[in-house]
Structure formats: structure tokens, C-alpha cells
Amino acid sequence: EYGFSLTDPETLTLWEGQFGDFANGAQVVVDQFISSGERKWLRMSGLVMLLPHGYEGQGPEHSSARLERFLLLCGNDNMQVVNCSTAAQFFHVLRRQVKRNFRKPLVCMTPKSMLRVPTSTYDELATGSFRELLDDPAFAGKDRKGVTRVVLCSGKIYHEMNERRKALGRTDVAIVRLEQFYPFHADMAREILSAYPKSAERVWVQEEPRNAGAYLFVADQFRTALGIELPYIGRHASATPAVGSKHAHKDEQEAI
């Protein structure tokens, strides 16, 4: 698929792993070609990698797309790494991939459970474009002075936190989604966060263990580009991507 993307750059070429951990077996190709091909050989590729990656209680192999590995390979605007939380965002990022007049590899984290959850309207698919960050729709056109905490996250955990927020009737917590990790859109992040009180705590929430996922990368980006220190909420550091017990998974997710 990488070779095909070079031969026919006008075609949308996608490589999908049945499980996220399929990327582990492809690591040599990722290291030697996808992440570094443009820098080493001046060859652009528009290859899209779709990697199932979601903490859904299905065990380590279902949760092992290793987002952190791809983020460690990011530099020189070499590729895009995204984790879309809505169908419209996913559609628009794929559309952007072929409409641009240049090519960059695109790595998509794609939780399987979200395939069955309605997240967008037809109008959102037909209009608009991909946004690197999504502000909290719960505060659209509303006063934000009462917000005491701004939660930054990515992917499906937004929907779970939003449901819990509704159930608790909380109006003091805003949830901002980072849809594209790299390249990091610092200006858009600054614009969105500036709409909330300076006194409101900013925190990062993720499903992955602390030594996995996006936290270490995101914390560095926010520290260096925005001067914001992001406390961490999520699983403790772990040698395995996820637990093998559905009950233990639910307990960990509830703790978050």
C-alpha cells in the first residue's frame, strides 16, 4: 500500500489493521518509509493508516495501536496523526487528504465502538471542514464564566465524559477535544482556551496508561507552545496496553 501510494498519489490509499496491534508488525515499514520517506528520499506519500484503538474492554490487542509510537516519530511536518471523535470529522479528514495539492501520510486512531454511535448530522457531513480541535458544543453561545475546569481529551472518551456530565447535571466543566495531535495547531488551541476563565483548571484526560497514549506528547506541546502545564487523569503507567478482564476494565474506566 505504501508503494501504491507513491505510484498513484491521486488515489486515496488506505491500510487498515483488524486490530490496533497490527501496526506493531508493520513497524519496520513505518520507521523506514512512512515516517521518514519524504525527509530521506524526497518522496511524498498520502498513505492512510486506519488503526483500531479504543479502550472497550476487549483486551490488550484491541487497544494496542500504540499512538505514542507514532507521536514519537513526528517531526519536520512529516505526517498527520489524528483521533476523530465524530463521523463528520473522519469524513472531512479523509476528504482533505485527497483534496490537498500535496501528500502526507495520515495515521488515524479509530475506536470500533464508535462505528455504531451516531455522532454527526447529514449537514455536518455535507458542509464544513476538518477542525484540529473541537470546542465544547455545550457552551456554544453561552456564558462561560462559571467554568472551573477545562478537560482536554481525544477520541471516544469525550462521549463517555459528556454522558456522565449530563447525568450529574454539571455545568462547571467544559470538554475540549484534540482531534489532530500532529501537526499541533497551537493557534486554534490558544483561541479556544482563551474563551474560558483564566482561573479554570486545565487538565488532560485519556484512557491509555500514563506511559502510553498522547499525554507525554500533548503535555510537552502545551508547555512549550502555550505555556500551560497539564495535570494528568487516566490509567497508571503499565507494561501492557490494557487489562484482559472486562470487569477490571470497567473499574478502571469508572475511576477515570
Side-chain angles (χ1 to χ4, degrees):
E1 277 73 21
Y2 174 76
F4 190 89
S5 73
L6 298 182
T7 303
D8 192 355
E10 298 299 318
T11 297
L12 179 62
T13 306
L14 306 99
W15 181 87
E16 183 175 26
Q18 182 180 358
F19 303 121
D21 73 317
F22 278 33
N24 300 343
Q27 200 63 39
V28 173
V29 178
V30 173
D31 291 349
Q32 292 292 96
F33 299 97
I34 296 172
S35 66
S36 59
E38 183 177 347
R39 194 71 173 175
K40 289 198 289 188
W41 299 301
L42 305 181
R43 295 297 306 275
M44 290 192 295
S45 167
L47 178 68
V48 179
M49 295 183 67
L50 304 177
L51 303 176
H53 176 81
Y55 281 68
E56 297 150 350
Q58 299 298 314
E61 273 55 66
H62 286 256
S63 312
S64 188
R66 291 296 186 182
L67 170 60
E68 65 278 3
R69 287 187 184 175
F70 290 97
L71 294 178
L72 282 172
L73 293 170
C74 290
N76 306 122
D77 292 326
N78 61 332
M79 57 185 182
Q80 311 148 95
V81 181
V82 303
N83 189 16
C84 300
S85 62
T86 72
Q89 283 283 93
F90 185 54
F91 169 74
H92 286 304
V93 80
L94 292 179
R95 182 175 181 272
R96 181 183 75 172
Q97 190 71 357
V98 290
K99 292 293 287 183
R100 281 175 163 171
N101 61 359
F102 61 89
R103 295 290 175 258
K104 297 281 183 180
L106 172 64
V107 180
C108 297
M109 301 288 120
T110 56
K112 286 186 174 182
S113 64
M114 296 309 299
L115 292 172
R116 298 180 290 276
V117 179
T119 55
S120 298
T121 64
Y122 291 123
D123 184 60
E124 288 170 333
L125 285 166
T127 62
S129 60
F130 178 75
R131 288 185 60 81
E132 289 81 358
L133 290 93
L134 292 178
D135 197 1
D136 194 336
F139 290 93
K142 295 182 180 179
D143 183 15
R144 307 182 184 208
K145 292 180 181 178
V147 174
T148 60
R149 170 180 280 187
V150 180
V151 173
L152 291 124
C153 67
S154 185
K156 80 173 183 66
I157 197 170
Y158 160 78
H159 299 283
E160 295 172 284
M161 289 195 292
N162 189 39
E163 287 300 314
R164 180 60 58 89
R165 180 174 60 173
K166 291 178 181 178
L168 296 174
R170 295 286 293 270
T171 59
D172 60 330
V173 177
I175 308 174
V176 175
R177 283 165 280 176
L178 185 57
E179 301 281 294
Q180 178 173 291
F181 297 109
Y182 189 84
F184 176 58
H185 202 317
D187 290 338
M188 185 179 291
R190 188 180 295 108
E191 177 185 351
I192 290 174
L193 293 177
S194 66
Y196 295 96
K198 290 184 178 180
S199 59
E201 180 188 23
R202 273 74 166 158
V203 301
W204 174 260
V205 175
Q206 69 177 32
E207 300 177 286
E208 301 92 342
R210 186 185 179 103
N211 60 328
Y215 173 63
L216 297 177
F217 177 86
V218 169
D220 182 62
Q221 295 290 322
F222 272 76
R223 184 185 307 112
T224 57
L226 303 177
I228 296 174
E229 291 289 341
L230 285 179
Y232 169 82
I233 297 176
R235 286 170 168 82
H236 298 298
S238 171
T240 180
V243 294
S245 161
K246 187 92 172 179
H247 295 291
H249 164 79
K250 288 183 177 179
D251 290 342
E252 289 183 348
Q253 203 74 353
E254 182 66 26
I256 295 175

